[in-house]
Amino acid sequence: MRFLETVMGIPMSIDVRDARDPLVVTRAAERAFAVLRAADERFSAHRPDSELSRVNAHGGDLDGVSGDFREVVELGAALAEASGGAFRIRRPDGGWDLDGVVKGWAADRAAHALADDGLHDYCLNAGGDVALAGSPGDGRPWHVAVRSPDSANDLLAVLEVRDGGVATSGAYERGAHIVDGRTGAPATQLRSATVVADDLTTADLLATAVFALGPHGVRWALGQGARAVLAVAADGTLLGVGELAFAREDAEQ
């Protein structure tokens, strides 16, 4: 069963392959989407009543913030330190910029909600970043398409992935929105960076950090929790490290 909803301004889908009562699956998907909507309500920079907007309106003071807010800040701060400041969660005006953390963290929480409801075989797709569990059928791994940074109609690769998360960062859709926190300038050394990790929170965080760091970040990510990294350098060179499993072109989806 497949479910689709727009959350955080992007399409998000849940594909469940468990042989379960459709009503049980539908209720589990509804709870997962509720997790995503709650995260958007708390962390949206476009909602004046969100916790993020309220905190930033008071100079970013963390006194009295929710446990979720503090958790997201701590995740981002840890990666900012590990990346030498290339990954950043503070704006030049001192406010919190948590976009590089929230989507993967929220989607991971939604995936955990599916697992808590007893589902074992599913793919949660959050605007191209995916959390995977089990198999799409017959014990096969999930196939995750990685688009080319040159064209939305072309694929860079199709990866075979079992339980875990896959996330990609690039400037091909939203423009130069990822900044190297060390310089304050847009990151330009990579055209895209895809990370496979044990969970989507880690994959999403590291994909952004790798893109900000440039080619140096590709191998660095393996020491930060990445299973594998596939990146395209500014000159078109393909950079791959870790346990990358590519699906055969004729493999069944």
Side-chain angles (χ1 to χ4, degrees), residues 145-157 171-173 191-192 232:
V146 181
R147 66 151 284 184
S148 165
D150 297 321
S151 169
N153 297 319
D154 297 322
L155 296 181
L156 181 66
Y172 45 77
E173 287 188 347
R191 292 160 71 180
S192 70
V232 180

Side-chain angles (χ1 to χ4, degrees), residues 54-87:
R54 294 197 305 270
V55 171
N56 281 344
H58 290 85
D61 188 350
L62 293 178
D63 286 346
V65 299
S66 66
D68 286 352
F69 197 97
R70 192 172 296 277
E71 179 181 339
V72 166
V73 167
E74 288 174 352
L75 284 167
L79 192 60
E81 181 177 1
S83 66
F87 182 89

Side-chain angles (χ1 to χ4, degrees), residues 181-201:
R182 299 167 299 183
T183 65
T188 58
Q189 295 185 68
L190 294 178
R191 292 160 71 180
S192 70
T194 298
V195 172
V196 183
D198 288 343
D199 58 83
L200 184 52
T201 301

